[in-house]
Amino acid sequence: MSHDLFEAARTAMGFAYAPYSKFPVGAAIRADDGKVYAGANIENISFPQGWCAEPTAIGAMIMGGAKKIVEIAVIAEKLPLCPPCGGCRQKIAEFASPSTRIYLCDETGVKETMTINELLPHSFKTEVIG
Ligand code: THU
Protein backbone atom coordinates (compact mmCIF):
# COMPACT_ATOMS: atom_id res chain seq x y z
CA MET A 1 0.00 0.00 0.00
CA SER A 2 1.32 3.42 -0.81
CA HIS A 3 1.74 5.92 1.98
CA ASP A 4 -0.89 8.32 0.63
CA LEU A 5 -3.75 5.97 1.52
CA PHE A 6 -2.56 5.77 5.12
CA GLU A 7 -2.12 9.56 5.24
CA ALA A 8 -5.62 10.07 3.84
CA ALA A 9 -7.11 7.77 6.50
CA ARG A 10 -5.20 9.54 9.26
CA THR A 11 -6.23 12.97 7.99
CA ALA A 12 -9.86 11.83 7.72
CA MET A 13 -9.76 10.66 11.34
CA GLY A 14 -9.11 14.30 12.28
CA PHE A 15 -12.53 15.20 10.85
CA ALA A 16 -14.39 12.62 12.95
CA TYR A 17 -17.46 13.88 14.74
CA ALA A 18 -17.39 11.58 17.75
CA PRO A 19 -18.40 13.63 20.81
CA TYR A 20 -20.25 10.69 22.41
CA SER A 21 -17.85 7.79 22.00
CA LYS A 22 -14.73 9.99 21.81
CA PHE A 23 -13.48 7.29 19.46
CA PRO A 24 -12.38 8.92 16.19
CA VAL A 25 -12.01 6.60 13.20
CA GLY A 26 -10.74 7.34 9.69
CA ALA A 27 -11.02 5.31 6.51
CA ALA A 28 -9.55 5.83 3.04
CA ILE A 29 -10.41 3.93 -0.12
CA ARG A 30 -8.38 3.64 -3.27
CA ALA A 31 -11.05 3.18 -5.89
CA ASP A 32 -11.10 1.74 -9.41
CA ASP A 33 -10.65 5.25 -10.84
CA GLY A 34 -7.29 5.51 -9.04
CA LYS A 35 -8.54 8.22 -6.70
CA VAL A 36 -8.57 8.20 -2.92
CA TYR A 37 -11.86 8.74 -1.06
CA ALA A 38 -11.81 9.27 2.68
CA GLY A 39 -14.28 9.45 5.53
CA ALA A 40 -14.68 9.62 9.28
CA ASN A 41 -17.31 8.45 11.74
CA ILE A 42 -20.19 10.87 12.30
CA GLU A 43 -22.19 10.36 15.47
CA ASN A 44 -25.58 11.60 16.61
CA ILE A 45 -27.13 12.34 19.98
CA SER A 46 -29.73 9.74 19.05
CA PHE A 47 -26.97 7.14 19.18
CA PRO A 48 -28.12 4.57 16.57
CA GLN A 49 -28.35 7.37 14.00
CA GLY A 50 -24.58 7.82 13.88
CA TRP A 51 -22.45 5.96 11.40
CA CYS A 52 -18.95 4.63 10.90
CA ALA A 53 -15.97 6.00 8.99
CA GLU A 54 -16.15 3.32 6.29
CA PRO A 55 -19.65 4.25 4.97
CA THR A 56 -18.64 7.91 4.88
CA ALA A 57 -15.72 6.94 2.63
CA ILE A 58 -17.95 4.66 0.54
CA GLY A 59 -20.43 7.52 0.09
CA ALA A 60 -17.63 9.82 -1.05
CA MET A 61 -16.47 7.15 -3.51
CA ILE A 62 -19.91 6.64 -5.01
CA MET A 63 -20.57 10.37 -5.28
CA GLY A 64 -17.15 10.79 -6.89
CA GLY A 65 -18.30 8.45 -9.65
CA ALA A 66 -16.13 5.44 -8.78
CA LYS A 67 -17.57 1.93 -8.57
CA LYS A 68 -15.19 -0.44 -6.79
CA ILE A 69 -12.95 -0.49 -3.73
CA VAL A 70 -9.45 -1.57 -4.74
CA GLU A 71 -8.02 -1.24 -1.22
CA ILE A 72 -9.05 0.42 2.02
CA ALA A 73 -7.17 1.65 5.08
CA VAL A 74 -8.75 2.07 8.52
CA ILE A 75 -7.32 3.82 11.55
CA ALA A 76 -8.63 4.59 15.04
CA GLU A 77 -6.93 6.94 17.45
CA LYS A 78 -7.53 4.74 20.50
CA LEU A 79 -6.98 1.25 19.11
CA PRO A 80 -3.72 -0.12 17.69
CA LEU A 81 -5.84 -2.05 15.18
CA CYS A 82 -9.45 -1.26 14.31
CA PRO A 83 -10.99 -4.04 12.23
CA PRO A 84 -14.18 -2.80 10.53
CA CYS A 85 -17.37 -3.69 12.43
CA GLY A 86 -19.69 -6.36 11.08
CA GLY A 87 -22.00 -3.95 9.28
CA CYS A 88 -19.06 -2.19 7.66
CA ARG A 89 -17.69 -5.51 6.42
CA GLN A 90 -20.91 -6.11 4.54
CA LYS A 91 -20.86 -2.54 3.19
CA ILE A 92 -17.25 -2.94 2.02
CA ALA A 93 -18.05 -6.36 0.47
CA GLU A 94 -20.76 -4.74 -1.65
CA PHE A 95 -18.10 -2.76 -3.54
CA ALA A 96 -15.12 -5.11 -3.25
CA SER A 97 -13.87 -8.36 -4.70
CA PRO A 98 -12.96 -11.21 -2.31
CA SER A 99 -9.26 -10.35 -2.53
CA THR A 100 -9.71 -6.63 -1.80
CA ARG A 101 -7.16 -5.70 0.85
CA ILE A 102 -7.97 -4.00 4.13
CA TYR A 103 -5.11 -2.26 5.92
CA LEU A 104 -5.40 -1.88 9.67
CA CYS A 105 -3.27 1.07 10.70
CA ASP A 106 -1.97 2.73 13.81
CA GLU A 107 -0.55 6.25 13.92
CA THR A 108 2.72 5.10 12.34
CA GLY A 109 1.36 3.15 9.38
CA VAL A 110 -0.03 -0.23 8.35
CA LYS A 111 0.10 -2.85 11.08
CA GLU A 112 -1.88 -5.67 9.50
CA THR A 113 -3.24 -6.51 6.08
CA MET A 114 -6.19 -8.80 5.42
CA THR A 115 -8.69 -9.41 2.64
CA ILE A 116 -12.41 -8.75 2.86
CA ASN A 117 -12.92 -12.47 2.30
CA GLU A 118 -10.88 -13.21 5.42
CA LEU A 119 -12.86 -10.64 7.40
CA LEU A 120 -16.24 -11.64 6.02
CA PRO A 121 -16.32 -15.16 4.66
CA HIS A 122 -19.79 -16.33 3.60
CA SER A 123 -21.04 -12.77 3.18
CA PHE A 124 -24.70 -12.34 2.41
CA LYS A 125 -25.42 -12.49 -1.29
CA THR A 126 -28.27 -13.80 -3.33
CA GLU A 127 -29.40 -13.82 -6.93
CA VAL A 128 -33.04 -13.48 -5.86
CA ILE A 129 -32.75 -9.76 -5.24
CA GLY A 130 -29.48 -8.88 -6.93
N1 THU B 1 -16.58 2.94 14.24
C1 THU B 1 -16.17 3.15 12.95
O1 THU B 1 -16.17 4.30 12.47
N2 THU B 1 -15.79 2.08 12.21
C2 THU B 1 -15.75 0.79 12.68
O2 THU B 1 -15.52 -0.12 11.91
C3 THU B 1 -15.99 0.53 14.10
C4 THU B 1 -16.64 1.64 14.86
C5 THU B 1 -17.05 4.10 15.02
C6 THU B 1 -18.53 4.11 15.30
C7 THU B 1 -18.60 4.99 16.53
O3 THU B 1 -18.69 6.34 16.11
C8 THU B 1 -17.28 4.77 17.22
O4 THU B 1 -16.42 4.13 16.28
C9 THU B 1 -17.36 3.91 18.46
O5 THU B 1 -18.00 2.72 18.19
Side-chain angles (χ1 to χ4, degrees):
M1 186 201 73
S2 60
H3 202 66
D4 63 327
L5 201 62
F6 162 66
E7 290 290 358
R10 193 168 58 175
T11 301
M13 183 171 67
F15 288 96
Y17 176 73
Y20 308 107
S21 71
K22 301 193 172 26
F23 192 87
V25 183
I29 292 167
R30 187 181 318 284
D32 55 342
D33 61 357
K35 293 187 187 157
V36 171
Y37 298 95
N41 50 332
I42 302 174
E43 298 182 347
N44 192 279
I45 193 162
S46 176
F47 295 158
Q49 301 303 329
W51 65 90
C52 289
E54 295 90 334
T56 306
I58 290 170
M61 178 190 87
I62 293 299
M63 295 313 295
K67 305 276 185 233
K68 293 282 278 183
I69 300 171
V70 174
E71 48 187 2
I72 175 168
V74 181
I75 181 170
E77 198 179 275
K78 293 180 179 165
L79 257 191
L81 291 178
C82 183
C85 77
C88 285
R89 294 178 194 198
Q90 186 76 45
K91 289 183 179 83
I92 292 166
E94 182 77 22
F95 301 102
S97 36
S99 60
T100 295
R101 289 177 306 278
I102 298 175
Y103 306 109
L104 306 184
C105 307
D106 69 7
E107 75 282 1
T108 64
V110 178
K111 286 291 141 203
E112 250 185 74
T113 302
M114 48 204 61
T115 66
I116 186 64
N117 193 50
E118 286 168 331
L119 276 180
L120 189 66
H122 314 294
S123 67
F124 175 70
K125 33 179 135 52
T126 171
E127 264 113 60
V128 176
I129 54 173

